[in-house]
């Protein structure tokens, strides 16, 4: 296949491009400098010129707190731009795979969220991403993932290792739970869904759940450091307080993958160990 990856300089975009390339697909990796997806003319021009079989949209405005005060940019990149990608893939015959987030949920449910649970975002970021899911259209694959960690991004694993090396305080909230997910594993499922051109919504996360506090402890263990250095705090104790509310529970059940008989990413501790060893060696 010929695959156009947008947001290809981002954390997920780089590993998605690498995953498809490793399988022998032809890749056009477009960073924001190459293709600003919020510009309809650019999207139609590039998709028309490349004529991809699949467009994987890894571009997003992901600064969750900044979105609270810049709704125009949040909706411009996370929702409006998806309308252009959907239009372009419809016009030129390609398939769209769009990436979304666990933050479309309120977090009030006690159990993991599945694909048929009702989204109820509480932040501008979550609301703009929910709008993007709706813009992708019925023929698109929509992949909702959570708590992404990869080699190429700023994420929890890198943050914990940096704070631990600096000897700083390691205080993480124990009242937000999710599924840590690793970009190579998510990319593998994205590739499968694109090869099959499967329409519809899929939750794609590593298995297992943790609070940020528990996850920080796991990072320390994986790095051979003392997990007792990590202290639990509540969201209300965060200084300064975060502008955007986060869901208390955003664990995603991968129900559609199970129904489709597609292998779900495994427990998060194995890819965590691999990533930690890559980052510290
Ligand atoms: N990170 C997480 O924990 C997480 C959790 C759940 C879901 N997700 C979703 O997963 C996807 C990938 O996230 P990520 O962690 O890889 O984010 P990321 O590292 O911030 O990558 C996003 C990329 O999109 C680019 N971008 C921003 N505006 C653009 C525009 N108008 N046109 C083209 N590119 C643009 C960014 O470029 P600049 O850096 O130059 O702005 C960046 O390279 C997103 O859809 C995100 O919502 C992420």
């Amino acid at each position: 296949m010929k695959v156009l990856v947008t947001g290809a300089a981002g954390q997920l975009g780089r590993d998605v491009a690498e995953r498809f390339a490793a399988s022998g697909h032809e890749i056009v990796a477009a960073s924001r400098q190459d293709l600003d997806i919020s510009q309809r003319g650019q999207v139609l021009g590039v998709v028309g010129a490349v004529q991809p079989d699949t467009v994987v949209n890894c571009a997003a405005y992901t600064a969750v707190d900044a979105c609270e005060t810049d709704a125009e940019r949040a909706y411009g990149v996370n929702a409006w731009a998806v309308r252009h990608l959907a239009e372009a893939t419809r016009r030129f015959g390609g398939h769209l795979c769009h990436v979304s987030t666990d933050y479309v949920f309120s977090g009030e449910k006690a159990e993991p969220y599945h694909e048929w649970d009702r989204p109820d975002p509480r932040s501008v970021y979550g609301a703009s991403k929910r709008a993007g899911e709706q813009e992708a259209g019925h023929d698109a694959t929509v992949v909702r993932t959570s708590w992404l960690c990869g080699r190429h991004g700023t994420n929890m694993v890198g943050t914990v290792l940096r704070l631990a090396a600096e000897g700083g305080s390691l205080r993480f909230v124990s009242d937000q739970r999710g599924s840590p997910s690793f970009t190579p594993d998510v990319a593998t499922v994205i590739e499968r869904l694109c090869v099959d051109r499967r329409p519809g919504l899929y939750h794609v996360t590593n298995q297992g759940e943790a609070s940020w506090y528990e996850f920080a402890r796991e990072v320390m263990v994986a790095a051979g450091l003392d997990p007792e250095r990590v202290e639990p705090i509540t969201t209300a104790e965060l200084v300064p307080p975060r502008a955007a509310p986060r869901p208390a529970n955003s664990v995603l059940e991968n129900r559609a993958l199970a129904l489709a008989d597609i292998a779900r990413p495994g427990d998060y501790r194995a890819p965590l160990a691999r990533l930690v060893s890559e980052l510290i060696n």
Side-chain angles (χ1 to χ4, degrees), residues 10-12 32 35-37 59-60 62 99-100 125 129 145 148:
Q11 175 172 231
L12 180 64
R32 182 155 65 94
L35 171 58
D36 178 345
I37 61 166
T62 57
V99 179
S100 192
Y125 169 74
K129 293 292 295 183
T145 188
L148 277 182

Side-chain angles (χ1 to χ4, degrees), residues 1-3 16-27 191 195:
M1 296 196 304
K2 193 190 250 192
V3 183
V16 163
E18 216 169 87
R19 174 66 260 158
F20 277 95
S23 302
H25 299 290
E26 185 185 340
I27 300 299
E191 181 194 14
V195 166

Side-chain angles (χ1 to χ4, degrees), residues 12 15-16 19-20 182-192:
L12 180 64
D15 280 347
V16 163
R19 174 66 260 158
F20 277 95
F182 289 78
T183 48
D185 290 349
V186 175
T188 297
V189 177
I190 286 177
E191 181 194 14
R192 171 72 195 275

Side-chain angles (χ1 to χ4, degrees), residues 135-271:
E135 292 292 347
H138 291 299
D139 290 343
T141 307
V142 176
V143 167
R144 262 191 211 141
T145 188
S146 65
W147 294 27
L148 277 182
C149 303
R151 262 179 313 154
H152 303 295
T154 307
N155 57 56
M156 181 69 175
V157 179
T159 301
V160 171
L161 294 177
R162 180 176 51 77
L163 291 174
E166 290 168 0
S169 80
L170 290 157
R171 305 172 81 215
F172 291 96
V173 299
S174 56
D175 56 0
Q176 292 172 28
R177 300 188 70 73
S179 302
S181 298
F182 289 78
T183 48
D185 290 349
V186 175
T188 297
V189 177
I190 286 177
E191 181 194 14
R192 171 72 195 275
L193 293 170
C194 288
V195 166
D196 290 358
R197 282 181 84 112
R198 289 218 183 221
L201 176 60
Y202 290 85
H203 286 178
V204 181
T205 64
N206 282 98
Q207 308 309 296
E209 59 173 88
S211 66
W212 288 112
Y213 160 70
E214 290 164 347
F215 187 37
R217 288 176 61 96
E218 297 276 6
V219 175
M220 295 292 277
V221 169
L225 300 169
D226 180 8
E228 298 305 323
R229 287 175 58 191
V230 184
E231 292 168 47
I233 56 169
T234 64
T235 301
E237 289 175 305
L238 278 171
V239 182
R242 298 288 168 79
R246 267 78 171 167
N249 168 36
S250 66
V251 177
L252 301 182
E253 179 190 339
N254 297 187
R255 186 171 288 186
L257 286 181
L259 290 168
D261 214 11
I262 294 175
R264 290 166 286 179
D267 188 274
Y268 72 83
R269 290 167 192 86

